[in-house]
Amino acid sequence: MTDSPRDVGGAIRVGPASPDGQASPPSPRTRLGSYAVVLDNEDRILLCRLSADEVEAGAWTLPGGGVEFGEHPDETVLRELEEEAGLTGRIDDVVGIFSKVYTRSRAAAGADLHFIGFLYRVAPVGGALRDEVEGSTDTCAWFLPDELRALRIVGVARHAIRRVLPDAVIPEPEYRGPAHSEEIRPAPVRPERAG
């Protein structure tokens, strides 16, 4: 196979050609992330809302994100907590690992995406809750377990919540086909911020 530009349906694509000269599907990708599961003294969980530029804009997730090349996942989770929520933290435990393959993921430009997320129990030790500016999230807030049923929550956060708050009612995604594998109900109006 060659790796050269070719005209496919009016668009120029670069990548290996199939034996019959047609465009090959995008190569599968793997993404590794680290996420903070932060509970306060009232058993409220800290969630961050994905910004308008993200695939699941308006949905709620855990503070966290992608592991950079050469970065240890322990470092990632604490960096992301500070970037997205303004808090510093201490890792207390590993809650688990989230692993899911998203077929034809918009987050991977249509390729299949294997997403692996390390879930850490993190205690807040400093800082002040604030919104991220021009980042992957646009606000963070604390939620009681009974408030979660009204939120659109992404898969990695649903997985973590089930582990740390097993009695919480969490909405399940509405299946709309592989191109929309994690899309669920519309986002609610911005919540009141609790400090």
Side-chain angles (χ1 to χ4, degrees), residues 83-164:
E83 286 177 8
E84 293 184 353
L87 301 176
T88 57
R90 176 190 71 239
I91 296 172
D92 285 342
D93 201 2
V94 174
V95 174
I97 297 174
F98 175 80
S99 178
K100 181 170 175 114
V101 173
Y102 296 92
T103 57
R104 296 182 297 222
S105 171
R106 289 177 291 155
D112 291 349
L113 175 68
H114 184 192
F115 174 69
I116 302 168
F118 290 100
L119 307 173
Y120 292 90
R121 181 69 180 263
V122 177
V125 296
L129 188 63
R130 61 147 173 79
D131 295 339
E132 184 177 24
V133 177
E134 296 182 19
S136 60
T137 64
D138 60 14
T139 193
C140 292
W142 295 98
F143 294 95
L144 289 166
D146 64 348
E147 295 173 318
L148 299 173
R149 72 182 74 226
L151 302 178
R152 185 165 57 106
I153 300 173
V154 300
V156 66
R158 285 194 312 272
H159 182 77
I161 292 166
R162 286 187 184 110
R163 289 179 167 268
V164 299

